[in-house]
Amino acid sequence: MNRGVLYCIILALAIMLLFVLNLVMGSVSIPFDDTFRILLGDHDVKPSWQFIIMQSRLPQALTAILCGSALAASGLMLQTAFRNPLAGPSVFGINSGAGLGVALVMLFLGGSISAGSVNLTGFVAVLVAAFLGAMAVMAIIFFFSTIVRSHVMLLIIGIMIGYIANSAISLFNFFATDEGVKSYLVWGLGSFGGVPMRIMPWFALITIIGLIGSLLLIKPLNALMLGDHYAENLGVHIIRTRNWLLIITGLLTAVTTAFCGPVAFIGLAVPHIARLLLKTDNHRSLLPATMLMGAVIALLCNLISFLPGEDGIIPLNAITPLIGAPVIIYVILKK
């Protein structure tokens, strides 16, 4: 059996196991058979358990799978296109753009957005602000990509935009109230609990469209690994491919950051974990394996965050660096 297929099967089984554990484990212990009955629509189980499974643990597990896959795929595509092992969604300032949008609402506008007769408050205002901020940065990067041919220069422009956004966030924090700073800090810690079940179909639809779009770029990505001139000889339009890649990664990063906060290290570290396992750079097997590995890591991090039980929940961004940072250090030392 092909090595890539074998690892994809193993990762799929790992996702199934971790998915079940995410449903069963938590501050409230719910037996597996009752969990299964709740998923099948049995209303004879305790109402409180039904609420916990259907409104909390199930959407969180589904969000972790989709968010992990999206960030991992984005990281792999950016690393390949820009031939930089440290490229990732956060490097291009997309996360910072989302953070700036949220900071603007929470710290400057008092938690609401008003435009004419439309008034958005609370979670919806934060969601819209994060998405608009991320897409605004992506639009700026896209504009520069039509002018700049150099991958390195475009990467530097993305980093500088991120610095500008972070500088603006620091200013907002300085002049904000204590309550506003606390709310922004909580959002910045990251969580897979930001997608309610009623919104899940839309979140899943957008994310899956982005993932399918990334799979359609497998052939151009393989060609880009051989160098721009070789890729052009194979019929790959470099700038058009790069622009489509930026649109797809921007969309995936924007939607995941808007709902889940700036989740760190998954987009940066997971592609390297997949490469170490498969020992190949062929995206036909590497990209699907990276998506599956992203889902595995996200489910694992979500599970670890609930280990304290009744004592509380560990912030997601306190866990992801513990897994991602050693991988990046290993890759740097190896190369």
Short mmCIF file of all heavy atoms in Angstrom, two decimals, residues 84-108:
data_model
loop_
_atom_site.label_atom_id
_atom_site.label_comp_id
_atom_site.label_asym_id
_atom_site.label_seq_id
_atom_site.Cartn_x
_atom_site.Cartn_y
_atom_site.Cartn_z
N ASN A 84 9.42 29.00 1.69
CA ASN A 84 9.91 29.43 3.00
C ASN A 84 9.29 28.54 4.06
O ASN A 84 8.06 28.55 4.23
CB ASN A 84 9.55 30.90 3.25
CG ASN A 84 10.22 31.45 4.49
OD1 ASN A 84 10.40 30.76 5.48
ND2 ASN A 84 10.58 32.72 4.44
N PRO A 85 10.09 27.74 4.79
CA PRO A 85 9.53 26.82 5.79
C PRO A 85 8.86 27.51 6.96
O PRO A 85 8.13 26.87 7.72
CB PRO A 85 10.75 26.02 6.25
CG PRO A 85 11.93 26.88 5.96
CD PRO A 85 11.57 27.64 4.73
N LEU A 86 9.10 28.82 7.13
CA LEU A 86 8.49 29.55 8.24
C LEU A 86 7.33 30.43 7.79
O LEU A 86 6.84 31.26 8.56
CB LEU A 86 9.55 30.42 8.94
CG LEU A 86 10.70 29.64 9.58
CD1 LEU A 86 11.67 30.59 10.27
CD2 LEU A 86 10.17 28.62 10.58
N ALA A 87 6.86 30.26 6.54
CA ALA A 87 5.69 30.99 6.07
C ALA A 87 4.43 30.36 6.65
O ALA A 87 4.36 29.15 6.84
CB ALA A 87 5.63 30.97 4.54
N GLY A 88 3.46 31.19 6.97
CA GLY A 88 2.20 30.69 7.52
C GLY A 88 1.17 31.80 7.48
O GLY A 88 1.48 32.95 7.16
N PRO A 89 -0.09 31.48 7.80
CA PRO A 89 -1.15 32.50 7.75
C PRO A 89 -0.84 33.72 8.60
O PRO A 89 -1.16 34.85 8.22
CB PRO A 89 -2.38 31.75 8.30
CG PRO A 89 -2.09 30.31 8.06
CD PRO A 89 -0.61 30.16 8.19
N SER A 90 -0.20 33.53 9.75
CA SER A 90 0.08 34.67 10.64
C SER A 90 1.19 35.56 10.08
O SER A 90 1.23 36.76 10.38
CB SER A 90 0.48 34.17 12.03
OG SER A 90 1.60 33.31 11.95
N VAL A 91 2.08 34.99 9.27
CA VAL A 91 3.21 35.75 8.74
C VAL A 91 2.74 36.86 7.81
O VAL A 91 3.31 37.95 7.77
CB VAL A 91 4.20 34.82 8.01
CG1 VAL A 91 5.29 35.61 7.30
CG2 VAL A 91 4.82 33.84 9.00
N PHE A 92 1.67 36.63 7.06
CA PHE A 92 1.18 37.62 6.09
C PHE A 92 0.29 38.67 6.74
O PHE A 92 -0.31 39.49 6.05
CB PHE A 92 0.43 36.92 4.96
CG PHE A 92 1.33 36.38 3.90
CD1 PHE A 92 1.80 35.09 3.99
CD2 PHE A 92 1.75 37.16 2.85
CE1 PHE A 92 2.66 34.58 3.04
CE2 PHE A 92 2.61 36.66 1.89
CZ PHE A 92 3.07 35.36 1.99
N GLY A 93 0.17 38.64 8.06
CA GLY A 93 -0.59 39.67 8.75
C GLY A 93 -2.09 39.49 8.71
O GLY A 93 -2.83 40.39 9.13
N ILE A 94 -2.57 38.35 8.20
CA ILE A 94 -4.01 38.13 8.11
C ILE A 94 -4.60 38.01 9.52
O ILE A 94 -5.65 38.57 9.82
CB ILE A 94 -4.34 36.88 7.26
CG1 ILE A 94 -3.78 37.06 5.85
CG2 ILE A 94 -5.84 36.65 7.19
CD1 ILE A 94 -3.87 35.82 4.98
N ASN A 95 -3.91 37.27 10.40
CA ASN A 95 -4.36 37.18 11.79
C ASN A 95 -4.34 38.55 12.46
O ASN A 95 -5.24 38.89 13.23
CB ASN A 95 -3.44 36.23 12.58
CG ASN A 95 -3.73 34.77 12.29
OD1 ASN A 95 -4.71 34.45 11.61
ND2 ASN A 95 -2.90 33.89 12.78
N SER A 96 -3.32 39.33 12.17
CA SER A 96 -3.22 40.67 12.76
C SER A 96 -4.34 41.57 12.25
O SER A 96 -4.86 42.41 13.01
CB SER A 96 -1.86 41.29 12.42
OG SER A 96 -0.80 40.53 12.95
N GLY A 97 -4.71 41.40 10.99
CA GLY A 97 -5.83 42.16 10.44
C GLY A 97 -7.13 41.85 11.16
O GLY A 97 -7.91 42.74 11.49
N ALA A 98 -7.36 40.54 11.41
CA ALA A 98 -8.55 40.14 12.16
C ALA A 98 -8.50 40.70 13.57
O ALA A 98 -9.51 41.19 14.09
CB ALA A 98 -8.65 38.61 12.20
N GLY A 99 -7.30 40.64 14.19
CA GLY A 99 -7.14 41.19 15.54
C GLY A 99 -7.40 42.68 15.59
O GLY A 99 -7.98 43.19 16.55
N LEU A 100 -6.97 43.40 14.54
CA LEU A 100 -7.19 44.85 14.48
C LEU A 100 -8.69 45.15 14.38
O LEU A 100 -9.19 46.08 15.04
CB LEU A 100 -6.45 45.44 13.28
CG LEU A 100 -6.60 46.95 13.07
CD1 LEU A 100 -6.12 47.72 14.30
CD2 LEU A 100 -5.83 47.40 11.83
N GLY A 101 -9.41 44.37 13.58
CA GLY A 101 -10.86 44.56 13.47
C GLY A 101 -11.55 44.36 14.80
O GLY A 101 -12.42 45.15 15.20
N VAL A 102 -11.16 43.31 15.52
CA VAL A 102 -11.76 43.02 16.83
C VAL A 102 -11.38 44.11 17.84
O VAL A 102 -12.21 44.55 18.63
CB VAL A 102 -11.30 41.63 17.33
CG1 VAL A 102 -11.75 41.39 18.76
CG2 VAL A 102 -11.84 40.53 16.43
N ALA A 103 -10.12 44.54 17.82
CA ALA A 103 -9.68 45.61 18.73
C ALA A 103 -10.45 46.90 18.47
O ALA A 103 -10.82 47.62 19.41
CB ALA A 103 -8.18 45.84 18.55
N LEU A 104 -10.71 47.20 17.21
CA LEU A 104 -11.46 48.40 16.86
C LEU A 104 -12.85 48.37 17.48
O LEU A 104 -13.34 49.37 18.02
CB LEU A 104 -11.55 48.52 15.33
CG LEU A 104 -12.18 49.80 14.77
CD1 LEU A 104 -11.33 51.01 15.11
CD2 LEU A 104 -12.36 49.68 13.26
N VAL A 105 -13.50 47.19 17.43
CA VAL A 105 -14.86 47.06 17.97
C VAL A 105 -14.85 47.04 19.50
O VAL A 105 -15.59 47.78 20.16
CB VAL A 105 -15.54 45.78 17.43
CG1 VAL A 105 -16.84 45.51 18.16
CG2 VAL A 105 -15.80 45.92 15.94
N MET A 106 -13.99 46.18 20.07
CA MET A 106 -13.99 45.99 21.53
C MET A 106 -13.40 47.18 22.29
O MET A 106 -13.91 47.55 23.36
CB MET A 106 -13.19 44.73 21.89
CG MET A 106 -13.89 43.44 21.59
SD MET A 106 -12.92 42.05 22.24
CE MET A 106 -14.00 40.68 21.83
N LEU A 107 -12.33 47.76 21.77
CA LEU A 107 -11.59 48.76 22.52
C LEU A 107 -11.92 50.20 22.14
O LEU A 107 -11.68 51.12 22.92
CB LEU A 107 -10.08 48.53 22.33
CG LEU A 107 -9.56 47.12 22.63
CD1 LEU A 107 -8.07 47.03 22.33
CD2 LEU A 107 -9.85 46.72 24.07
N PHE A 108 -12.45 50.40 20.93
CA PHE A 108 -12.67 51.76 20.44
C PHE A 108 -14.15 52.09 20.25
O PHE A 108 -14.59 53.20 20.53
CB PHE A 108 -11.91 51.94 19.12
CG PHE A 108 -11.88 53.37 18.62
CD1 PHE A 108 -11.11 54.33 19.27
CD2 PHE A 108 -12.63 53.75 17.53
CE1 PHE A 108 -11.08 55.64 18.83
CE2 PHE A 108 -12.61 55.05 17.07
CZ PHE A 108 -11.84 56.00 17.72
#
